Each structure stands twice: as C-alpha cells, then as structure tokens.
Amino acid sequence: MKKVLLISNYYTIGVLISLLIIGLIHLYSFLAETYFGYAEWDNILLTTSVSGIPFGIAIWAFKNLITAK
C-alpha cells in the first residue's frame, strides 16, 4: 500500500507540472499569438495525464540520485 501511495504522489506531482507547462504555453499563445487555435479540454487533460508518468518518474529518479549515498 505504501508503494501505491508513493507512486500516486509522484504521478500527481508530474500531472501538476505538466498542467503548469501547458498553462504557460496557452498563456503565451493567448497573449502573443492571437491567431492560435485553442485545444479542447479533453485533449489537454489527456496530454497531462499521459505526460504525468514521465515527469513523475523523472522527479522520483532525481530525488533518489540526490539522496543516494
């Protein structure tokens, strides 16, 4: 159970980072490029849920590298 909680925590952090990056991209496009066609929410949520996995793994790996003896 402890491993499942650990995995879900890193996955959640990865999803949040992905949402932040996508939000910054859309904010820039809204301010600087007004001709930009906006994506649908379904595609944004699918992208963040899929990209949360590698972001979460990367955060976990860097944390383990920093704390390893």
Side-chain angles (χ1 to χ4, degrees):
M1 184 67 181
K2 189 175 182 180
K3 296 251 184 200
V4 172
L5 186 61
L6 181 70
I7 291 170
S8 66
N9 283 341
Y10 283 111
Y11 176 73
T12 303
I13 292 170
V15 167
L16 291 175
I17 289 173
S18 177
L19 275 173
L20 176 70
I21 292 171
I22 290 174
L24 290 173
I25 291 170
H26 281 279
L27 180 65
Y28 169 77
S29 298
F30 179 72
L31 296 175
E33 301 172 357
T34 56
Y35 58 87
F36 179 73
Y38 293 102
E40 296 179 11
W41 279 105
D42 295 341
N43 292 337
I44 292 172
L45 293 178
L46 178 67
T47 304
T48 56
S49 63
V50 170
S51 61
I53 296 169
F55 279 133
I57 291 172
I59 293 167
W60 171 79
F62 282 123
K63 181 184 174 270
N64 283 338
L65 282 173
I66 291 171
T67 59
K69 293 181 181 179

